[in-house]
Amino acid sequence: MVETRRANIDAERMFAHYRMMCRIRAFEEAAEAALLTGAITGAIHLSIGQEAIAAGVCINLMRHDLIASNHRGHGHTLAKGASPSAMMAELFGRDTGTCHGKGGSMHIADFDVGMLGANGVVGAGILIAVGAAQGLALRGEKRIVACFFGDGAINRGPFLEGLNWAKIYGLPVLLVCEDNGFAATTRTATLSAGGGPDARARSLGIPVASVDGNDVGAVDTTTAELVRRIRNGEGPQLLLARTYRLKGHTAADPGTYRRPEEVAARLAEEPIQRCAETLRLGGKSAAELATIAEAARQEMASAIAAARAAPYPRRALAWTDVQDVGAPAEIAR
Ligand SMILES: Cc1ncc(C[n+]2csc(CCOP(=O)(O)OP(=O)(O)O)c2C)c(N)n1
């Protein structure tokens, strides 16, 4: 077993984490506000409270490394380097979006930064990541793949299939389980037999590191060790990051299945404030931190304005970049 590393990273790296987490939070708060006014339609899943995992993992990846995500993927995508303007336009269904507005929040992909896709099918990203890792291994490439999934995904078949395949072939894949305690509106512990994601991974011989997923420094240093092992050819590794989803399952879910006191208690452990406290102890001023947070809000306000102003995709584009659906006669006209 890999021991969880104590956070011992330099101040500038911690500052970079703070900036990234503020950007993820600001992106999602702006998107949530737009959804509530009806400017964004469809469901979006917010990762508010879980930002440290995206930031702490992705800082250890190179641009050419790959990630696969799930339905709660804004943070992963931003942390991998995608443009928030293109992402926001995608949420607005506009032509300037990462997928020309045809994917929306749950299907954002950006191959330019190695983001293979968010995914509305729980657990499906695990197999996409393992398949991509197999492709890299077959081609002798040194790149690695990280895959983000929730604790609910471990009860679907792809978790077993993917982990088994990755282990058998010694594939370069980092499995990141974001354990926020819930699968939609159900506490995952009430529907998961056995010892959880770590026990299941270990039963297949996959090394596991457990970490406080709200401690960005710990996520970073623990991921660094797992990534070092993967790049060293030691095969798949699983990071179990415990966290808490502060918002509802979707932005429209009031979350009445948990008491407000529970959420309030977990709010006190949220990662951005914790990172800010560490930075303050290291000498950063409150004003410097406030400037970063404000810059993130401004950046996302610009992304919203650009998305609102952008055109919708042309009708004919409905049949491009989609799989084998043909082109009906009325589109050809
Ligand atoms: C195959 C499949 N079954 C059910 C759903 C409905 N569903 C959407 S999200 C979700 C819960 C997922 O929980 P988890 O993987 O822990 O991610 P979290 O939402 O907690 O981030 C469910 C059951 C789905 N999208 N796909």
Side-chain angles (χ1 to χ4, degrees):
M1 181 188 163
V2 180
E3 292 298 319
T4 296
R5 300 281 153 146
R6 287 198 54 215
N8 184 24
I9 59 179
D10 69 49
E12 285 316 304
R13 193 165 168 110
M14 191 59 101
F15 202 41
H17 283 315
Y18 181 74
R19 179 181 287 110
M20 178 56 72
M21 292 194 292
C22 285
R23 292 179 68 229
I24 297 170
R25 179 76 55 93
F27 179 92
E28 293 202 315
E29 287 181 346
E32 181 183 35
L35 182 101
L36 294 176
T37 65
I40 292 175
T41 53
I44 60 172
H45 301 78
L46 304 173
S47 65
I48 289 177
Q50 305 184 190
E51 297 90 344
I53 305 171
V57 167
C58 289
I59 202 167
N60 288 288
L61 301 177
M62 314 285 280
R63 187 182 173 96
H64 62 234
D65 289 327
L66 304 174
I67 64 166
S69 179
N70 61 359
H71 52 284
R72 208 175 295 287
H74 305 143
H76 314 141
T77 314
L78 276 169
K80 191 63 176 61
S83 148
S85 294
M87 289 171 61
M88 196 65 83
E90 188 61 33
L91 267 56
F92 275 73
R94 307 303 169 113
D95 191 39
T96 49
T98 47
C99 306
H100 293 289
K102 293 188 290 183
S105 167
M106 274 186 281
H107 302 96
I108 290 182
D110 186 350
F111 292 176
D112 287 345
V113 297
M115 185 351 180
L116 296 177
N119 203 309
V121 181
V122 171
I126 300 172
L127 297 183
I128 291 171
V130 170
Q134 176 112 57
L136 295 176
L138 285 171
R139 283 152 55 168
E141 294 191 33
K142 292 293 177 203
R143 298 191 276 165
I144 71 168
V145 189
C147 175
F148 297 89
F149 54 93
D151 43 323
I154 71 162
N155 292 327
R156 292 214 59 242
F159 180 74
L160 174 62
E161 295 177 43
L163 268 64
N164 181 65
W165 193 272
K167 179 64 185 176
I168 288 295
Y169 289 98
L171 297 178
V173 58
L174 175 66
L175 301 147
V176 182
C177 181
E178 298 182 303
D179 181 357
N180 62 17
F182 290 89
T185 56
T186 307
R187 288 184 199 272
T188 317
T190 65
L191 42 80
S192 298
D198 40 347
R200 292 185 191 184
R202 279 197 200 98
S203 77
L204 299 173
I206 294 179
V208 176
S210 298
V211 71
D212 176 349
N214 285 10
D215 178 343
V216 71
V219 175
D220 180 355
T221 51
T222 305
T223 302
E225 168 61 10
L226 299 184
V227 165
R228 186 195 65 73
R229 289 169 166 229
I230 296 168
R231 294 200 198 281
N232 195 37
E234 295 177 38
Q237 313 280 319
L238 187 136
L239 179 71
L240 174 56
R242 297 210 162 81
T243 184
Y244 192 81
R245 161 167 64 69
L246 290 171
K247 293 281 183 163
H249 172 58
T250 67
D253 167 23
T256 49
Y257 43 86
R258 52 193 195 180
R259 292 193 313 278
E261 307 88 74
E262 174 182 323
V263 181
R266 301 306 293 260
L267 185 60
E269 301 165 4
E270 69 90 18
I272 299 182
Q273 205 44 46
R274 279 174 67 178
C275 180
E277 281 159 19
T278 305
L279 288 165
R280 294 279 284 122
L281 288 173
K284 292 281 181 200
S285 71
E288 273 177 290
L289 299 181
T291 301
I292 295 294
E294 180 54 25
R297 284 189 289 271
Q298 289 299 326
E299 180 186 15
M300 302 313 163
S302 299
I304 290 271
R308 279 187 200 282
Y312 287 103
R314 283 180 295 114
R315 197 165 166 238
L317 275 181
W319 306 103
T320 59
D321 301 327
V322 292
Q323 193 181 8
D324 196 29
V325 293
E330 68 267 24
I331 297 298
R333 269 193 271 128

